[in-house]
Amino acid sequence: MTFLGICLLFTYLFCQWLVQAEFFTSIGQMTDLIYKERDLVQFLKVYIKEEEERLGKIKSWASQIEDLTSKSALDPEGFLAHPVNAYKLVKRLNTGWLSLESLVLQDATKGTKYVASLSVDDCFGMGKIAYHESDYYHTVLWMQEALKLLDEGERSTTISKVDVLDYLSYTVFQLGDIQRAVELTKRLLLLDSSHERAGTNLRYFEKMLERERNEEKVNKTSDAKPNKTLYEIYTRPQDYLPERETYEALCRGEGVRMTPKKQKRLFCRYHDGNRNPILILSPIKEEDEWDSPRIVRYLEVLSNEEIEKIKELAKPKLARATVRDPKTGVLTTANYRVSKSAWLEEYDDPVIAQVNKRMQAITGLTADTAELLQVANYGMGGQYEPHFDFSRKEEPDVFKRLGTGNRVATFLNYMSDVEAGGATVFPDFGAAIWPRKGTAVFWYNLFRSGEGDYRTRHAACPVLVGSKWVSNKWFHERGQEFLRPCGLTEVD
């Protein structure tokens, strides 16, 4: 019950007590009831006014959401393709509607404001999430953005520059940039000289920086190779990916090592799968994407009707994507793979059997020992960080349960275009393959000798705008003995 409601109730009960106490027997005493009733009316008018204001806010909220949903419902996937729209939807469902509930149940509360871009609070919140996940790399990016917005004059009622600098200075230290950690901590102390933790951190950072400089001097005057600093030995994050800078540059469309000389070695042609009956009358269009390791793209592999059918079959089965545990071979989730996936059997629909046969004809490999068709959907920020499709020597049991040997090749179908992001990149040699709906790319993960080709370590870049749909078939070693004969050397 609201505060005004309680006041009305108490006043009403008081009046009831007066009446029941036989005040009506004296006109003089009953005049008090007149004044009490007058007070009740005033309370009621104030209550009505506040309720009208509250209802006005609720109506305004409803109107905003109605306008938004009327537009988003016309093209849900297109609307959610924009990462800010998707983020705001999740935020509304988690906090916005709770605020509305408070507005309905309580006297009053502040309305939710919507902006077209992320606020200081949004960026700081994302940075804190990354920090608590020990993802220091992205913590720095979000905190830098929050600090930039504050420097540009954006205001926040809950977040200050001191808060941001506190996280940012310690995080850059965690990433090994001690000099910058010192600079940021000094800036923090200029804003708040009494910040106890910052003062302690600064003394520690300066001590570590001095030690690092002394080690550099020793290494310069000796022939010995530079030793790792104590910081690197004890505190460097274990999940740090050495190729991250290359990986993210490729995702931005930078750093692709496609030289004119290499470009001349790439061709396009019609491919009939060595006169495979399925392709003789209708050969597939084949384009070279990379020469070594060889990556090819096939055009018009899937029709729009097939794509829609595959998506329709997969949607009810979509679940958080999994990876195989290198020690046990059991499928499990991992924070470096953000997507949803489903596995489709041939008996699910004739289209699946048809697509499987087509991939078998194109590659010249048997699909009898291949894994089921995997369908994956990457939404806002969906990605799969650098990984190998094949199992390495230190992971002998990954595919043991399947009994079909290692993954010899990958056939990847692109079932949608992506407005921004979503490329398949190979950090080792600097290739970036961009999604094109209806096409597919293919590469071998193993040399003919059966040894893994470590150059094929690849990643699915984060989807920035759009929704990425792919399906893939992993072909295994067993059954390919005469279709792809073994080579004579380790790198054949």
Side-chain angles (χ1 to χ4, degrees):
M1 183 177 290
T2 65
F3 174 74
L4 278 171
I6 293 171
C7 290
L8 285 168
L9 178 62
F10 276 122
T11 306
Y12 170 73
L13 291 175
F14 177 71
C15 291
Q16 284 288 90
W17 178 79
L18 289 175
V19 173
Q20 290 173 4
E22 298 185 353
F23 264 68
F24 61 86
T25 59
S26 169
I27 295 295
Q29 289 177 318
M30 285 184 66
T31 56
D32 291 341
L33 295 179
I34 298 292
Y35 298 114
K36 292 299 177 185
E37 189 172 36
R38 183 192 62 184
D39 292 341
L40 270 176
V41 172
Q42 295 304 314
F43 272 128
L44 187 61
K45 289 176 69 176
V46 172
Y47 176 72
I48 291 170
K49 181 180 178 182
E50 291 196 1
E51 284 295 288
E52 287 176 342
E53 291 176 355
R54 188 163 62 90
L55 286 173
K57 292 177 182 179
I58 294 172
K59 287 180 181 178
S60 176
W61 164 276
S63 179
Q64 289 179 35
I65 300 303
E66 186 178 33
D67 291 343
L68 190 62
T69 54
S70 63
K71 295 175 183 177
S72 62
L74 295 175
D75 181 15
E77 285 201 10
F79 178 82
L80 292 173
H82 196 291
V84 173
N85 288 341
Y87 171 77
K88 291 294 187 183
L89 172 63
V90 173
K91 184 177 179 181
R92 276 198 306 278
L93 293 175
N94 277 281
T95 60
W97 282 95
L98 289 177
S99 297
L100 179 65
E101 182 184 28
S102 299
L103 187 62
V104 171
L105 298 177
Q106 298 175 10
D107 286 346
T109 187
K110 293 182 179 180
T112 303
K113 296 181 180 179
Y114 291 92
V115 293
S117 59
L118 298 178
S119 66
V120 170
D121 293 39
D122 292 331
C123 294
F124 184 78
M126 296 291 275
K128 282 184 68 176
I129 291 171
Y131 179 84
H132 291 301
E133 291 288 330
S134 297
D135 182 358
Y136 301 129
Y137 180 85
H138 288 102
T139 301
V140 170
L141 296 181
W142 283 112
M143 291 301 175
Q144 283 181 158
E145 187 62 24
L147 186 61
K148 176 186 172 186
L149 291 172
L150 288 170
D151 285 340
E152 290 175 351
E154 184 170 324
R155 293 183 179 181
S156 169
T157 57
T158 57
I159 307 301
S160 69
K161 289 183 181 180
V162 169
D163 298 322
V164 178
L165 288 166
D166 192 15
Y167 274 95
L168 188 55
S169 59
Y170 187 73
T171 306
V172 296
F173 168 74
Q174 287 288 82
L175 288 175
D177 194 345
I178 304 176
Q179 178 63 52
R180 187 161 178 240
V182 169
E183 294 169 358
L184 290 168
T185 307
K186 286 181 176 178
R187 181 180 174 186
L188 189 162
L189 288 169
L190 285 174
L191 296 172
D192 182 1
S193 59
S194 62
H195 199 291
E196 186 176 345
R197 182 171 58 251
T200 302
N201 285 349
L202 180 60
R203 290 190 292 273
Y204 178 70
F205 294 163
E206 289 178 333
K207 184 178 179 181
M208 292 294 290
L209 185 60
E210 183 64 27
R211 182 180 297 176
E212 191 177 77
R213 287 170 177 169
N214 290 336
E215 288 178 353
E216 288 177 358
K217 290 178 182 178
V218 171
N219 291 327
K220 285 180 180 179
T221 57
S222 67
D223 295 330
K225 292 183 179 179
N227 295 319
K228 289 185 178 180
T229 64
L230 292 175
Y231 166 76
E232 290 176 312
I233 294 172
Y234 295 112
T235 61
R236 196 161 186 78
Q238 296 300 308
D239 62 346
Y240 176 75
L241 296 175
E243 76 265 59
R244 181 180 287 278
E245 288 186 6
T246 303
Y247 153 51
E248 295 198 353
L250 290 170
C251 289
R252 294 193 298 269
E254 305 165 3
V256 179
R257 295 194 285 273
M258 178 59 72
T259 63
K261 184 178 180 180
K262 185 179 288 290
Q263 185 73 50
K264 290 179 181 179
R265 294 199 291 268
L266 306 181
F267 300 93
C268 58
R269 63 192 72 79
Y270 282 101
H271 174 69
D272 63 8
N274 294 323
R275 301 188 64 77
N276 186 290
I278 296 177
L279 300 177
I280 288 178
L281 295 179
S282 182
I284 203 83
K285 297 173 183 177
E286 182 183 78
E287 294 178 349
D288 291 330
E289 286 279 357
W290 208 263
D291 61 337
S292 181
R294 188 165 184 247
I295 303 173
V296 295
R297 187 193 294 264
Y298 298 107
L299 279 61
E300 299 171 8
V301 173
L302 296 177
S303 67
N304 286 332
E305 292 74 18
E306 288 172 328
I307 288 172
E308 291 308 311
K309 188 62 180 179
I310 292 171
K311 288 166 64 176
E312 177 189 327
L313 294 168
K315 283 180 179 179
K317 299 182 179 183
L318 286 175
R320 175 70 187 273
T322 56
V323 298
R324 290 195 181 273
D325 187 291
K327 294 182 179 179
T328 65
V330 176
L331 291 172
T332 182
T333 59
N335 59 11
Y336 55 83
R337 186 179 190 186
V338 184
S339 65
K340 286 194 171 184
S341 64
W343 300 84
L344 300 182
E345 304 260 10
E346 287 202 355
Y347 59 72
D348 286 335
D349 193 274
V351 167
I352 305 303
Q354 180 179 306
V355 170
N356 284 342
K357 287 179 182 178
R358 188 177 304 141
M359 289 187 287
Q360 180 174 267
I362 292 172
T363 62
L365 301 172
T366 179
D368 292 344
T369 56
E371 295 177 46
L372 300 178
L373 184 69
Q374 185 189 50
V375 181
N377 178 221
Y378 296 82
M380 177 191 70
Q383 63 169 342
Y384 193 174
E385 293 194 0
H387 62 280
F388 298 101
D389 278 353
F390 65 91
S391 67
R392 291 160 287 167
K393 290 181 179 179
E394 61 268 27
E395 307 166 338
D397 298 329
V398 174
F399 304 117
K400 188 175 182 179
R401 293 187 177 196
L402 300 179
T404 52
N406 211 342
R407 285 175 176 167
V408 67
T410 297
F411 196 102
L412 178 63
N413 297 297
Y414 292 116
M415 302 199 302
S416 68
D417 295 313
V418 182
E419 292 180 57
T424 306
V425 299
F426 296 78
D428 185 81
F429 50 90
I433 316 296
W434 297 93
R436 284 156 56 188
K437 186 178 181 180
T439 71
V441 292
F442 175 80
W443 68 85
Y444 282 103
N445 298 305
L446 307 179
F447 292 110
R448 285 183 177 271
S449 63
E451 294 293 322
D453 187 346
Y454 283 74
R455 298 173 300 172
T456 61
R457 183 171 169 84
H458 60 286
C461 294
V463 173
L464 304 179
V465 180
S467 178
K468 178 183 175 182
W469 283 89
V470 298
S471 61
N472 61 274
K473 175 70 75 172
W474 282 304
F475 291 89
H476 281 247
E477 290 178 293
R478 300 292 181 265
Q480 320 296 352
E481 292 84 357
F482 298 104
L483 300 173
R484 190 184 188 235
C486 186
L488 299 178
T489 68
E490 191 175 291
V491 292
D492 280 347

